[in-house]
Amino acid sequence: MASDQTRSAILAAAERLYADRGFGDVTLRDIVAEANVNLAAVNYHFGSKDESIAELFVTRSIQTNRERLNELRAAEEKGGGRASIEDIMRALVGPTLRGCLGPDREGSTAARFMIRASIESVPPIRRIKNREVDHLRKFAAAMRRAMPASSDTELYWGLHFALAMAHHTIREKERLLRLSEGKCDLDDVRGIIDRVVTVSVMALTMGDVPSKPAARPVAMHGRLTRQDL
């Protein structure tokens, strides 16, 4: 088997195993057996299990981020250089949700791998997420153009919460189905995206919520008791 074919076979086998069993339960020897190669080939191409996880995650993330940025670029071109905050949020969360949810996607190996990556916090994926933020800076810049009166702090929190809603929906979809007794349709991916976008935009555009003054203890029969203090 040629070197490139061997590498592809190892990655495909590793992705299937990680998707099926999770990251902790899969060993290099499992990958060797699944790919029908020898351990030396795995060590040559990757060196460790963590490196294979990182390569797969980067490959899948690049695809998602490219789709995000293409949608963002199209939205800004449509708006003459400034997209609406709704379109920006849709470009941010849409590719992730479409990639992992829905009957035509969630059974695929790629989707199941990315769902595992969202559920299981493993060091190589955490390192990549914490390091690779340049594409998110482009979304923050687009948000700044769309909402110039908002502070950078509020925009970053808004971006963070939108991503959190999307990933939590992917991670906890089974719980939501059980909790809602099937009323929440997790196959309606377009509807899910609409909900996440709507809530994200509401959070960014509702303005500052005035803080309520602290309630004063109510005196019982004209006197404060120990329980009131």
Side-chain angles (χ1 to χ4, degrees), residues 1-213:
M1 188 184 296
S3 180
D4 287 347
Q5 291 178 315
T6 301
R7 183 182 180 83
S8 296
I10 293 168
L11 282 174
E15 188 171 43
R16 286 194 300 272
L17 290 172
Y18 294 141
D20 289 341
R21 293 164 46 185
F23 300 114
D25 289 340
V26 175
T27 67
L28 281 180
R29 293 193 179 278
D30 294 329
I31 296 171
V32 165
E34 180 75 9
N36 194 26
V37 297
N38 57 49
L39 186 58
V42 176
N43 287 328
Y44 173 76
H45 286 287
F46 298 102
S48 70
K49 189 175 82 170
D50 278 2
E51 288 185 32
S52 70
I53 293 171
E55 172 119 359
L56 285 165
F57 183 72
V58 166
T59 299
R60 297 303 179 195
S61 295
I62 285 173
Q63 294 170 356
T64 300
N65 294 339
R66 184 181 296 124
E67 187 177 350
R68 280 174 169 166
L69 292 173
N70 285 341
E71 290 187 19
L72 177 62
R73 189 178 302 112
E76 293 210 295
E77 287 175 358
K78 183 180 71 174
R82 188 170 74 176
S84 69
I85 193 63
E86 290 87 352
D87 286 345
I88 294 169
M89 291 292 101
R90 193 173 299 278
L92 178 68
V93 303
T96 298
L97 291 165
R98 285 195 302 270
C100 291
L101 297 178
D104 58 333
R105 284 296 299 162
E106 61 188 23
S108 72
T109 301
R112 290 185 298 112
F113 172 83
M114 290 305 284
I115 291 170
R116 285 284 188 186
S118 185
I119 293 172
E120 298 184 26
S121 181
V122 294
I125 291 177
R126 283 201 305 273
R127 285 194 292 269
I128 293 166
K129 283 184 175 180
N130 291 336
R131 184 180 69 235
E132 303 297 332
V133 296
D134 284 349
H135 70 289
L136 296 179
R137 294 191 194 283
K138 294 178 181 178
F139 276 90
M143 292 167 69
R144 198 174 293 117
R145 289 189 287 272
M147 301 180 65
S150 297
S151 71
D152 283 357
T153 301
E154 292 305 316
L155 296 178
Y156 284 127
W157 276 116
L159 187 154
H160 177 73
F161 287 145
L163 290 173
M165 277 190 286
H167 286 292
H168 187 76
T169 300
I170 291 167
R171 287 194 301 267
E172 303 294 345
K173 62 188 180 68
E174 297 298 333
R175 184 169 69 167
L176 178 57
L177 276 174
R178 178 170 294 185
L179 175 65
S180 69
E181 297 180 337
K183 293 182 179 67
C184 295
D185 184 2
L186 272 297
D187 288 338
D188 180 14
V189 181
R190 180 177 295 179
I192 293 169
I193 294 170
D194 287 343
R195 288 179 185 277
V196 173
V197 169
T198 297
V199 175
S200 300
V201 172
M202 285 174 60
L204 281 165
T205 58
M206 66 185 294
D208 293 332
V209 179
S211 58
K212 295 181 179 179

